[in-house]
Amino acid sequence: MRAISQDVLGGPEVLKVIELPRPTPGPTEVLVRVHAAGLNPTDWKHRAHGGFLGQPPFVLGWDVSGVVEEVDTGVTLYQPGDEVFGMLRYPFGNGAFAEYVTAPSRTFVPKPAEIDHVQAGALPLAALTAWQALVDTAGVRSGQRVLVHAAAGGVGHLAVQIAKARGAHVIGTASAAKHDFLRSLGADELIDYRNEDFTELKDVDVVLDTIGGDYGSRSLETLRPGGTLVSIVLSRVDEELAAKAGALGVRVRNMLVEPDHTGMRAIAALVTAGRLKAEIAAVLPMEEAAKAHALGETNRTAGKIVLEIGPSTAK
């Protein structure tokens, strides 16, 4: 099978198409023929710096939408020919930028008939991140005020929709050029981070920090007592931030996205109900993975970039 790999860390130019043996599923696993795979910032960060994966060679990618090719012993949910989507185990289950992947069957859920593989391939990692941050960690409920930073980004624009589906009042930070897009997703208030100070907000119940830097500390000032800041960029909460949160009577939580069959089913249900849709910034063939990475690293796109992998003819 073909896959996108690299021999060294570096810029997008290190990515190349290689041939690898087609994987074989083991007990409780399925073999999926990948049709589309979404890109996420974690992909270019690992490409450049190694991250959790260390030194290459490796095949990046965690978002998968495709068709079940084989099932092994113990699999009861799927049969060959079923369309599925899901997130490979993060961070060490990487390998979506290939024509085939194997994973435990409950990594995946049925792909909603309402969307194609490109749409489905854009969703898993970013949508699960938003779901686990807002629903599982912060417990967002109807009537709460939720602030989403970088609201037009991959995680952000899905978080806006998930928070709205929970009945929240959603506030987003984004450049002015993206405000109309975010209003179309249901955002109630928008802040142009280039010209406005979001810390003037008060009585926010939940903040989703997708940026890092001083955004976490500044966001604490917007929370009402008992509120929650969830960071998806901190590896751990630093002592200074924790002390400030304690003094203000609020919580800080950092998280890494996890495989989550229940969460993926909830995401699929929102898609079917017309409450959740990925904005597709660009679709490129797998041979143009370097171009896709370069585009993502501009930080100027709204929504997700997706690689079309397509059915394989490899043996």
Side-chain angles (χ1 to χ4, degrees):
M1 69 173 187
R2 296 184 306 156
I4 301 298
S5 187
Q6 62 189 94
D7 294 322
V8 296
L9 301 176
E13 69 280 356
V14 304
L15 298 173
K16 60 184 180 179
V17 179
I18 65 168
E19 290 285 335
L20 289 174
R22 193 174 85 170
T24 301
T28 75
E29 290 186 336
V30 295
L31 173 71
V32 173
R33 186 173 74 246
V34 181
H35 282 232
L39 272 73
N40 299 281
T42 191
D43 291 302
W44 43 87
K45 291 175 182 177
H46 277 88
R47 183 211 71 227
H49 306 296
F52 292 110
L53 303 180
Q55 292 296 313
F58 44 64
V59 176
L60 294 170
W62 286 269
D63 283 335
V64 170
S65 183
V67 176
V68 174
E69 187 88 357
E70 297 177 19
V71 302
D72 202 65
T73 304
V75 174
T76 60
L77 296 182
Y78 308 114
Q79 297 295 325
D82 289 342
E83 294 188 321
V84 296
F85 76 131
M87 184 194 77
L88 303 180
R89 184 171 66 91
Y90 187 83
F92 300 116
N94 54 294
F97 300 153
E99 290 178 310
Y100 292 93
V101 297
T102 56
S105 65
R106 292 173 190 268
T107 296
F108 303 103
V109 299
K111 180 184 76 65
E114 293 79 6
I115 58 174
D116 61 18
H117 284 292
V118 168
Q119 269 283 328
L123 283 167
L125 187 149
L128 273 180
T129 299
W131 180 269
Q132 291 171 6
L134 296 178
V135 180
D136 295 340
T137 303
V140 169
R141 60 186 183 273
S142 181
Q144 288 192 318
R145 288 163 55 82
V146 175
L147 171 60
V148 179
H149 287 304
V155 171
H157 85 291
L158 299 174
V160 167
Q161 297 173 72
I162 289 170
K164 285 301 295 183
R166 304 285 291 182
H169 178 94
V170 181
I171 309 160
T173 63
S175 64
K178 297 174 181 176
H179 285 192
D180 285 345
F181 162 61
L182 289 167
R183 288 189 187 97
S184 75
L185 301 181
D188 298 289
E189 294 182 51
L190 293 163
I191 296 172
D192 179 0
Y193 68 90
R194 293 172 176 168
N195 299 302
E196 299 176 80
D197 183 4
F198 71 81
T199 62
E200 294 180 5
L201 291 168
K202 301 301 175 189
D203 295 325
V204 172
D205 295 285
V206 177
V207 178
L208 177 58
D209 179 15
T210 67
I211 298 176
D214 67 352
Y215 268 68
S217 179
R218 294 168 63 205
S219 293
L220 294 179
E221 301 169 22
T222 72
L223 287 167
R224 69 170 74 244
T228 303
L229 167 69
V230 183
S231 172
I232 64 170
V233 291
L234 291 174
S235 59
R236 56 181 59 85
V237 177
D238 65 65
E239 293 182 4
E240 183 177 344
L241 188 65
K244 182 175 180 179
L248 293 171
V250 300
R251 300 190 307 157
V252 178
R253 297 290 185 267
N254 60 297
M255 58 158 281
L256 284 177
V257 65
E258 301 176 64
D260 182 356
H261 189 75
T262 300
M264 281 301 304
R265 285 195 172 274
I267 289 162
L270 287 176
V271 171
T272 298
R275 306 296 300 274
L276 184 66
K277 182 179 180 179
E279 174 73 9
I280 305 300
V283 182
L284 295 98
M286 69 180 297
E287 295 83 359
E288 296 185 19
K291 182 178 178 181
H293 273 237
L295 179 61
E297 286 183 293
T298 66
N299 293 319
R300 295 175 183 170
T301 58
K304 294 292 298 291
I305 300 167
V306 179
L307 289 181
E308 278 193 307
I309 310 297
S312 172
T313 57
K315 302 297 183 182

